[in-house]
Amino acid sequence: MTDIAEARRILEALVAFPTVSRDSNLALVDWAEDYLAGHGVAAHRVWNSGRSKANLWCSAGPAVAGGVVLSGHSDVVPVEGQGWATDPWRVTERGGRLYGRGTCDMKGFVALALAAVPLALKAGVRRPLQIALSIDEEIGCMGCLPMVAEIAAKAPRAAAVIVGEPSRMEVVTGHKGGLGFDTAVRGFPVHSSMMHRGVNAVMEAAKLIDWANAQNDANRSKPPGPLAAAFDPPWTTVHVGQISGGTAHNITAEHCIMGLDFRVVPGENPEDWARAWQAKVAEVEAGMRAVRPEAAITLTRSFDVPPLVPEADGRAEALARAITGDNGTHVVSYGTEAGFFQRAGFSTVICGPGDIAQAHQADEYIEMTQFEAGWHFMQTLVAELAR
């Protein structure tokens, strides 16, 4: 009989796979596929372009419309440079918490979802329980795209999608969209005493960062629109988290690389922000080329995540609220795969165990009470699908 102890066993198995986004997840996929096959459920792989990673989805129960998709990602963030007190690749229970990389974000939810499959089969669900396990969520969410498309085309059409990002089992109906650019600035190196004859890629990149600061100041000062007001912060943010360039303090930098991303509130068009960024880049690049025609700035889109927009009379929201009893209004500023499912026509919300504050941290954990609440959610969902 499937119970929370089985979910705990699955969690221990999943955490033991170090599925950092830069590496393959195929060992975990093999394990999950074998687990599902052991319960008579066929799983479907959707590969990345290099076939080094795979999304995995399945449908447990009758091949009819009206089921529920439980969506989670298989990848986790790195542990290097973090001061872990326990082995990050082993679940350690201490003080009512389960420690380990991914316990919160979000192998805890995935373990609960997989444990619900035999529960659903035993209950004789009349509508299917579907699982969607994605890749590369932690590096832009784009890895799920081919799987979402395949589920939309081939699986029995689900009535609702529950994305189990850690929300403390609160029903989250909206999140910001995300748009990222890798920005490579190519300057022209000369001795810094003659800097006017060269182009300093680092200093030109600084002009772009200054533009980002100006946009944040302007956005912060504007009154938020009705869809943005619930967010923290209630405005679109422009962020540079990494920058690298230059070879020596007395040489104008030939190269500089940085990443810039937008977290766009619903009600604003991400493409408007993309065009504004491209226009600023073109302006700076023109100034560089006036000094040295070899100078250039290259932009590459690194991710493009649609927002999750609150739905009027959404079936996913109604279902999650009925199960959890949560009637509050909740939105989040981070992006998830929920926007892709919603864009594909699925009613979608976020609802999962754990606290997002623990995600990506050293000594990441999920509280046992949250894990138990997640299991109660699965039991109640299965009962609903069996009605």
Side-chain angles (χ1 to χ4, degrees):
M1 179 177 179
T2 302
D3 57 17
I4 194 169
E6 175 70 356
R8 166 73 178 272
R9 184 188 72 82
I10 295 171
L11 176 60
E12 290 172 348
L14 297 180
V15 169
F17 296 107
T19 50
V20 176
S21 304
R22 63 175 178 250
D23 300 322
S24 175
N25 73 331
L26 293 183
L28 183 150
V29 167
D30 289 344
W31 187 95
E33 201 169 51
D34 289 345
Y35 168 84
L36 291 166
H39 294 288
V41 175
H44 309 273
R45 295 191 184 200
V46 185
W47 296 88
N48 69 343
S49 59
R51 296 183 74 84
S52 60
K53 303 178 186 179
N55 299 280
L56 193 72
W57 68 273
C58 71
S59 187
V64 299
V68 174
V69 175
L70 300 176
S71 174
H73 57 83
S74 62
D75 59 321
V76 295
V77 298
V79 300
E80 288 85 358
Q82 295 185 329
W84 282 75
T86 61
D87 182 349
W89 309 116
R90 181 178 181 181
V91 175
T92 301
E93 183 172 357
R94 188 174 73 247
R97 298 170 175 175
L98 300 176
Y99 290 86
R101 175 55 87 222
T103 51
C104 176
D105 185 23
M106 58 182 297
K107 290 179 177 179
F109 176 83
V110 172
L112 293 163
L114 289 173
V117 169
L119 190 70
L121 297 174
K122 182 178 180 180
V125 290
R126 300 175 65 182
R127 293 174 288 140
L129 177 71
Q130 298 168 298
I131 309 295
L133 183 60
S134 67
I135 58 174
D136 292 348
E137 193 274 348
E138 296 291 5
I139 52 174
C141 293
M142 306 294 285
C144 74
L145 272 169
M147 178 179 65
V148 172
E150 185 168 304
I151 290 172
K154 296 182 179 180
R157 190 69 179 186
V161 175
I162 310 293
V163 177
E165 290 283 352
S167 71
R168 298 199 65 81
M169 299 310 298
E170 294 178 342
V171 181
V172 174
T173 59
H175 69 58
K176 293 184 178 182
L179 182 65
F181 289 89
D182 291 332
T183 304
V185 184
R186 185 176 78 244
F188 188 85
V190 298
H191 193 279
S192 60
S193 65
M194 302 297 289
M195 62 180 291
H196 64 292
R197 296 182 181 177
V199 176
N200 189 319
V202 169
M203 296 183 74
E204 297 300 324
K207 296 176 183 177
L208 299 175
I209 295 173
D210 189 54
W211 178 87
N213 287 328
Q215 303 311 303
N216 286 324
D217 290 342
N219 290 347
R220 186 186 292 111
S221 66
K222 293 187 298 188
L227 292 177
F231 286 86
D232 180 20
W235 37 275
T236 293
T237 58
V238 191
H239 179 254
V240 176
Q242 285 185 309
I243 183 168
S244 175
T247 55
H249 78 278
N250 60 352
I251 303 173
T252 57
E254 184 175 9
H255 298 288
C256 184
I257 300 173
M258 68 181 195
L260 179 138
D261 63 69
F262 300 89
R263 303 286 181 172
V264 183
V265 292
E268 294 184 5
N269 185 353
E271 289 307 309
D272 289 342
W273 283 106
R275 284 188 287 270
W277 175 237
Q278 290 160 350
K280 182 61 182 180
V281 165
E283 174 192 319
V284 172
E285 184 181 58
M288 295 164 56
R289 286 183 168 172
V291 179
R292 295 296 309 193
E294 306 96 320
I297 303 177
T298 303
L299 294 182
T300 304
R301 286 209 188 195
S302 54
F303 64 89
D304 188 352
V305 181
L308 174 66
V309 180
E311 302 168 0
D313 302 317
R315 295 184 69 179
E317 179 182 351
L319 173 65
R321 291 195 188 283
I323 294 174
T324 63
D326 174 36
N327 291 313
T329 299
H330 311 288
V331 296
V332 293
S333 292
Y334 55 82
T336 77
E337 296 163 346
F340 289 111
F341 277 104
Q342 189 179 64
R343 190 171 70 180
F346 293 96
S347 178
T348 307
V349 294
I350 297 167
C351 185
D355 192 326
I356 194 64
Q358 302 308 321
H360 304 183
Q361 303 298 307
D363 295 331
E364 177 183 347
Y365 67 82
I366 186 171
E367 297 166 352
M368 274 302 302
T369 54
Q370 281 290 299
F371 197 63
E372 291 162 358
W375 181 239
H376 175 74
F377 183 98
M378 297 300 170
Q379 292 175 303
T380 308
L381 174 61
V382 166
E384 174 64 25
L385 293 173
R387 282 209 268 179

